Amino acid sequence: MSSQDLHKRRGAAVARGVSSTISSYMDRGTGASLTDVDGREWIDFGSGIAVTSIGHAAPRVVEAVAEQVARFTHTCFMVAPYESYVAVCEQLNELTPGTHEKRSALFNSGAEAVENAVKIARHATGRSAVVVFDHAYHGRTNLTMALTAKSMPYKHRFGPFAGEAYRMPMSYPLRDGGLSGEAAAARALDQVAKQVGAENVAAILIEPIQGEGGFVVPAPGFLPALRAWCAENGALFVADEIQTGFCRTGAWFASSHEDVVPDLVTTAKALAGGLPLAGVTGRAEVMDAVHPGGLGGTYGGNPVACAAAIASIETMRELDLCAASRRIESIMLPHLQALAQTHPEIGDVRGRGAMLAIELVQPSTRGPMGGPAPDTERTKAVAAACHAAGLLVLTCGTYGNVLRFLPPLVIDDDTLHRGLEILSAAFA
Ligand code: PLZ
């Protein structure tokens, strides 16, 4: 059945609220390529939003999943436990920043991991306030909508939202007049002290590099200052590494670039090579503060997803995908910077590793927070031109004016160059 026919069927069956970036329907994939049902090849610069870092249909995951499905698909870890859940927790404890003793718990989605991190932080501290930032994205459930910044499309008419979430100004070098990380942190923390009260803060929750909010990389010093404030004030520093985790930024976790050791880390996406699995990992004394039975869910840490996670992590280790991510940066970043030289509408090139983006602006018009005015229309047009030429790119950002690039980390140089050529042609 063609994409066109499937699109018609979808219109009559699938709720309008669930939308898709492209209207081609996928048939299969391998590495960084996808083939749609019409037989057309796509170069994937999105990885299903930072999930398939080890590539589509990664052989080790396919094998591990098939083997596990044949043994058993589900017992519920809360009823009858199994080894792979324990093994995934061991891996998370080892790989997340810091050498302190840790514990982990497994869930189904990123939003569920964030919700549980908040539950754990509140329980462990006996406090309720959660500090979040402008442009943040943490999910679409009721609690995580309260933590997510952007109204349309995530929150519009879906309230009332959960309470005790407090939003502070973010460090956003293109749009905050180039405030230093320390100054931006002082600005946010002063408001926390005045508006929330330091002694009421259970956690500061932040993406070390913002994802949906526009791949905003905070100025150096911002994250360490927030981390230090938490330590001084009895609050927990929670890093949402759901999009940045597992080699995406050239390190296992993005917090490490500034030697930040979070109290709690949320993970999902690339953890299980495409199967739904998420985790909360943190200090043993914080995680174990919660009473037995206080955390869980029917499917959390499903054995098939755990088998996939073990296979994914093995693949990342064996292929050294953190190094692959840095290699992708060394090819992509100069290409994007050269493109920006000839296209003044590219107002910023930013990111780390294989998590890179360009922000499109109207260079001579002032916009939000004194930065250049966003050019949302041109961003949509460039993305559409890429899609027409078979390159799957995603947009993001509070103003929808950021093109983001998240290729599978296993992408080969030839495919990467072909993708970048399509991007350049789309600008032309
Ligand atoms: N935290 C940092 O990036 C998911 C969402 C796409 P779930 N980002 C993609 C969309 O429009 O729904 C994300 C994230 C960060 C939390 C989440 C939530 O993860 O697995 O989508 O619930």
Side-chain angles (χ1 to χ4, degrees), residues 268-357:
K269 290 192 184 281
L271 165 60
L275 276 86
L277 187 67
V280 180
T281 301
R283 292 188 181 284
E285 68 276 16
V286 172
M287 294 294 293
D288 282 342
V290 178
H291 49 276
L295 304 173
T298 305
Y299 289 113
N302 167 271
V304 182
C306 285
I310 293 163
S312 297
I313 291 169
E314 261 173 30
T315 306
M316 291 180 225
R317 283 186 198 273
E318 233 164 71
L319 301 180
D320 194 357
L321 291 189
C322 288
S325 177
R326 297 191 294 269
R327 194 196 83 242
I328 291 167
E329 176 180 340
S330 76
I331 295 170
M332 261 188 133
L333 195 58
H335 186 101
L336 298 174
Q337 283 161 343
L339 200 60
Q341 288 294 312
T342 49
H343 292 274
E345 68 271 27
I346 299 178
D348 198 15
V349 178
R350 59 177 180 252
R352 269 189 207 277
M355 182 171 185
L356 300 174

Side-chain angles (χ1 to χ4, degrees), residues 21 378-389 391 393-395 403 423 426:
T21 305
R378 190 189 285 267
T379 309
K380 278 190 199 148
V382 174
C386 289
H387 299 158
L391 175 68
V393 293
L394 308 175
T395 60
L403 278 167
L423 178 70

Side-chain angles (χ1 to χ4, degrees), residues 49 109-112 114 137-140 154 207 212 240 242-243 268-269:
I49 323 189
S109 66
E112 208 188 339
V114 172
Y137 183 92
H138 298 291
R140 293 175 181 264
Y154 307 124
E207 302 152 85
E212 306 308 303
D240 181 345
I242 286 166
Q243 192 151 162
K269 290 192 184 281

Side-chain angles (χ1 to χ4, degrees), residues 5 34 102-103 113 124 154 164 167 195 229 246 268 272 274 295 308 311 317 372:
D5 292 339
L34 287 165
K102 295 173 205 155
R103 301 282 185 270
Y154 307 124
E164 290 302 304
R167 192 167 311 286
Q195 297 177 18
W229 185 92
F246 300 101
L295 304 173
R317 283 186 198 273

Side-chain angles (χ1 to χ4, degrees), residues 226-267:
L226 299 180
R227 159 72 280 187
W229 185 92
C230 286
E232 284 154 22
N233 291 280
L236 300 177
F237 182 86
V238 185
D240 181 345
E241 294 252 18
I242 286 166
Q243 192 151 162
T244 49
F246 300 101
C247 302
R248 175 52 61 186
T249 67
W252 279 96
F253 292 94
S255 301
S256 306
H257 295 297
E258 289 193 83
D259 295 323
V260 165
V261 178
D263 297 301
L264 297 176
V265 179
T266 56
T267 54

